[in-house]
Structure formats: structure tokens, C-alpha cells
Amino acid sequence: QVQLVESGGGLVQPGGSLGLSCAASGSRFIINTMGWYRQAPGKQREWVATITGSGTINFAVFVKGRFTISRDDAKNTVYLQMNSLKPEDTAVYYCNAGVYHSDLDFKSYWGQGTQVTVSS
């Protein structure tokens, strides 16, 4: 079993910046892809960005150029740096990790979510 704990959410003014982090803990696991999703009130959860174990990065079109994603494998942590934030970025942000517990045992885990509110 793996636990993902996000931190760093909060209230920020439009045009501001905020950084999120997500730390994974547990036993006997290897993290493959890590990513971020978000869910705004009344909307479905949507993909924001992912970073693979080899460092390949992909972003959703609506955040490209404003957000960056990185990971520290020594700390089992993924980061999301959000710049030029807009009110429409307001959502609960969720961390996701694809984890191998063995060669044949792959699971997807979710964090509990952290609220990001962009408002003046």
C-alpha cells in the first residue's frame, strides 16, 4: 500500500504563483508515472500534467507554459509549480502515482486533494 500526501494549496490572487508537492510513502514500491489532476466544482476531474520515471513530461493544453512539473525520486515526491494563475484554475488538485509493487502488481494511487483558489 502507498499513501500520497499533497501540500501547498491555498488562496492566491490572479497572476500569482503557487507550488504543490505530493509525497509518497509506503513499503516495497517503485513509482512509475506521477501526475496531477484537478476537479473544479460541478465538473469532472481532469488531467493536468504527468512526468514518467524517465522524465518525460506532458501538460494539458490549458496549463502549458504556465505550470511546471518535476519529481525527486530520492524523496518519492512530485511537484507542481503553478504560475500566472487564473480564476479558472480554481479546483481541488489531486496527485496520482502509478506504482509497481512487483513486476506483475501495478496499482494507481490518489492523494486526498488540496484546494487551490485563485481569486482577488
Side-chain angles (χ1 to χ4, degrees):
Q1 199 72 358
V2 170
Q3 293 77 43
L4 301 178
V5 178
E6 298 114 334
S7 60
L11 173 64
V12 64
Q13 293 187 340
S17 298
L18 207 58
L20 306 180
S21 62
C22 171
S25 63
S27 61
R28 298 171 61 182
F29 67 94
I30 296 174
I31 300 176
N32 186 12
T33 297
M34 302 188 81
W36 292 92
Y37 292 70
R38 70 186 188 185
Q39 187 167 17
K43 296 187 176 181
Q44 289 189 331
R45 189 173 298 187
E46 61 183 359
W47 167 70
V48 175
T50 50
I51 180 168
T52 69
S54 60
T56 299
I57 292 172
N58 286 287
F59 287 103
V61 171
F62 53 79
V63 301
K64 193 172 289 186
R66 300 188 297 125
F67 292 10
T68 59
I69 186 171
S70 61
R71 60 191 283 171
D72 184 338
D73 289 336
K75 297 180 179 179
N76 290 323
T77 299
V78 64
Y79 305 93
L80 185 69
Q81 178 63 37
M82 304 181 291
N83 301 320
S84 302
L85 283 161
K86 306 174 182 179
E88 51 264 43
D89 293 318
T90 295
V92 177
Y93 283 70
Y94 296 91
C95 173
N96 175 267
V99 172
Y100 284 97
H101 293 286
S102 70
D103 287 348
L104 300 178
D105 185 5
F106 180 85
K107 291 186 174 67
S108 178
Y109 292 91
W110 292 91
Q112 81 285 355
T114 185
Q115 177 70 47
V116 172
T117 303
V118 185
S119 175
S120 54

